[in-house]
Amino acid sequence: MTTTDGTAAEDSAAHPRFAEAVREMGLAELPGRVRRFPDATRTAGEAAAAIGCELSQICKSLIFAADGVPVLVLMDGASRVDLELVRKELGAAKVTRARADVVRETTGYAIGGVPPFGHRTATRVLADRSLLAHDVVWAAAGTPYSVFPMEPKTLIAHAGATLVDVREPAE
């Protein structure tokens, strides 16, 4: 299969932008580890069910606006982000969930397929410590149908994330 410019097309389950970004990051083997599912893995629950893993092994990539500036928060799939803890961590006056158009503009991906790295623009990244509870976590590969496995410390390092505690307390 070839692209319109005559070059070989990437036969990967990853989004083409993500596959290119990770190759540029020196992770050429990563697109080959991406798994694509026929049904959406848009939510953490859908992804965990498709993979057959614990909900907390899913790494959610969530974009928030801290005083209007996009910030990425990586959170385990079983937990929710505490916006007040994010606000304090960033020293911001206000933190809100980013609108869908801001997510796409910032990352280059639609909500439900945002990977933890390989974004269109550089943003500040926070990673919740809860991700370290597993040997492997699964994250979106740029589409709502594709995910990849990675060791949490490696994922956090490639995302350029600061390790924090921003998870809502369990009830």
Side-chain angles (χ1 to χ4, degrees):
M1 183 175 179
T2 57
T3 61
T4 54
D5 68 359
T7 59
E10 178 68 35
D11 187 24
S12 169
H15 187 287
R17 180 182 301 111
F18 180 70
E20 181 180 338
V22 297
R23 277 194 302 277
E24 289 173 2
M25 292 171 66
L27 301 171
E29 78 291 345
L30 184 58
R33 295 178 30 217
V34 172
R35 290 179 55 190
R36 181 172 174 83
F37 295 94
D39 296 320
T41 55
R42 182 173 284 119
T43 68
E46 290 170 347
I51 296 162
C53 69
E54 293 178 33
L55 186 58
S56 60
Q57 286 181 271
I58 302 301
C59 175
K60 300 187 288 191
S61 298
L62 306 167
I63 301 289
F64 294 92
D67 294 338
V69 177
V71 61
L72 172 65
V73 177
L74 304 177
M75 177 61 70
D76 79 84
S79 300
R80 293 176 48 94
V81 174
D82 185 318
L83 295 182
E84 180 61 16
L85 292 176
V86 172
R87 187 192 70 71
K88 287 179 183 175
E89 184 67 41
L90 298 174
K94 183 178 181 182
V95 174
T96 59
R97 200 173 262 280
R99 295 185 330 265
D101 62 323
V102 172
V103 172
R104 187 179 287 277
E105 180 181 307
T106 301
T107 68
Y109 307 96
I111 292 172
V114 176
F117 43 77
H119 297 176
R120 178 181 288 154
T121 62
T123 56
R124 183 150 181 203
V125 184
L126 303 177
D128 190 77
R129 198 172 310 280
S130 62
L131 292 169
L132 299 176
H134 300 284
D135 293 334
V136 172
V137 293
W138 293 82
T143 80
Y145 297 90
S146 58
V147 294
F148 68 93
M150 187 171 276
E151 191 270 332
K153 286 182 182 175
T154 303
L155 184 143
I156 291 165
H158 286 303
T162 301
L163 202 57
V164 295
D165 293 301
V166 293
R167 178 172 51 165
E168 278 187 358
E171 293 182 12

